[in-house]
Amino acid sequence: MINETLADAESRMAKSLEALHRDLNTIRTGRASPALLDRVSVEYYGTPTPLNQMSNISAPEARLLVIQPWDKGVIPDIERALQRSDIGITPSNDGVVIRLAIPQLTEDRRKQLAKQVHSQVEDAKIAIRNVRRDSMSDVREMLSSKMISEDDERRAAQRLDELTKKFVDEAESIGKTKEHEVLEV
């Protein structure tokens, strides 16, 4: 039972790190990346549809994203969605494709993005600690219902602490790497 609880905690902590990776990929650095547009949804026949499900997104150059929609009639809708999004880039189209020229980041914008990275890393660490809290509560429940001994509870708590430290350290490492990437000129 304890092993199941620990395995569940580990998988949930790993999912928190995966979510952190996904979130950090959408933060703009100096380079063009199709992942920047992962959060953009387009009103498509009355339904919000992710942009990457209705077009081909590529980065032919370091500072250029090209969006080639499968249905040319949605180009104005895609432009509207891009202007409403928080990426801060004005789209230009030629009737066939939409181009997003990624400008150089200013020092202030780099600092804002670094704060955003830090905030997302903190959120991931909180999620990891919440998993630890939930698992500890499960272990204490097992102890109170006499399913495990106090020694087992202490060992489980120690293993949970080690797991938590490992995942929190990994989240910090991921955050430092992304922060360095954002602040790099």
Side-chain angles (χ1 to χ4, degrees):
M1 272 183 286
I2 290 176
N3 290 336
E4 292 168 5
T5 303
L6 292 172
D8 177 54
E10 186 170 11
S11 75
R12 288 172 54 202
M13 288 177 185
K15 287 177 185 171
S16 294
L17 284 183
E18 289 172 23
L20 175 64
H21 272 292
R22 268 194 319 275
D23 290 345
L24 291 182
N25 279 340
T26 63
I27 293 180
R28 194 175 120 203
T29 58
R31 293 178 221 95
S33 166
L36 289 174
L37 304 175
D38 281 352
R39 290 189 190 164
V40 177
S41 288
V42 179
E43 253 331 284
Y44 188 56
Y45 295 109
T47 307
T49 308
L51 178 60
N52 56 10
Q53 290 182 9
M54 58 190 315
S55 62
N56 184 27
I57 303 170
S58 61
E61 298 173 23
R63 298 208 175 277
L64 181 70
L65 282 176
V66 176
I67 304 165
Q68 189 169 13
W70 296 310
D71 177 5
K72 305 296 181 224
V74 298
I75 288 179
D77 297 330
I78 293 174
E79 280 188 309
R80 231 175 288 119
L82 288 169
Q83 288 169 344
R84 279 194 317 257
S85 71
D86 63 349
I87 59 172
I89 302 170
T90 306
S92 65
N93 89 63
D94 60 7
V96 179
V97 297
I98 298 172
R99 289 182 178 78
L100 293 173
I102 311 289
Q104 280 281 62
L105 294 173
T106 64
E107 190 63 30
D108 288 341
R109 182 68 178 142
R110 287 180 197 282
K111 288 178 181 175
Q112 285 175 339
L113 291 174
K115 284 181 184 176
Q116 189 177 349
V117 167
H118 186 69
S119 165
Q120 289 182 347
V121 168
E122 282 303 313
D123 290 346
K125 289 175 7 183
I126 289 169
I128 290 167
R129 290 182 189 123
N130 286 342
V131 170
R132 177 194 175 280
R133 186 195 63 222
D134 293 345
S135 298
M136 274 307 298
S137 130
D138 292 346
V139 168
R140 286 190 186 111
E141 201 173 289
M142 287 181 222
L143 176 67
S144 69
S145 63
K146 306 281 189 228
M147 297 168 85
I148 61 172
S149 68
E150 287 183 18
D151 290 341
D152 290 338
E153 187 244 0
R154 269 191 235 98
R155 279 191 290 273
Q158 184 179 6
R159 286 174 50 197
L160 265 174
D161 286 344
E162 291 167 3
L163 262 180
T164 304
K165 182 174 177 9
K166 175 183 132 188
F167 280 100
V168 164
D169 290 347
E170 195 170 333
E172 284 179 1
S173 168
I174 292 166
K176 280 187 181 18
T177 303
K178 185 66 175 189
E179 201 170 318
H180 178 72
E181 202 177 299
V182 165
L183 293 174
E184 185 179 290
V185 178

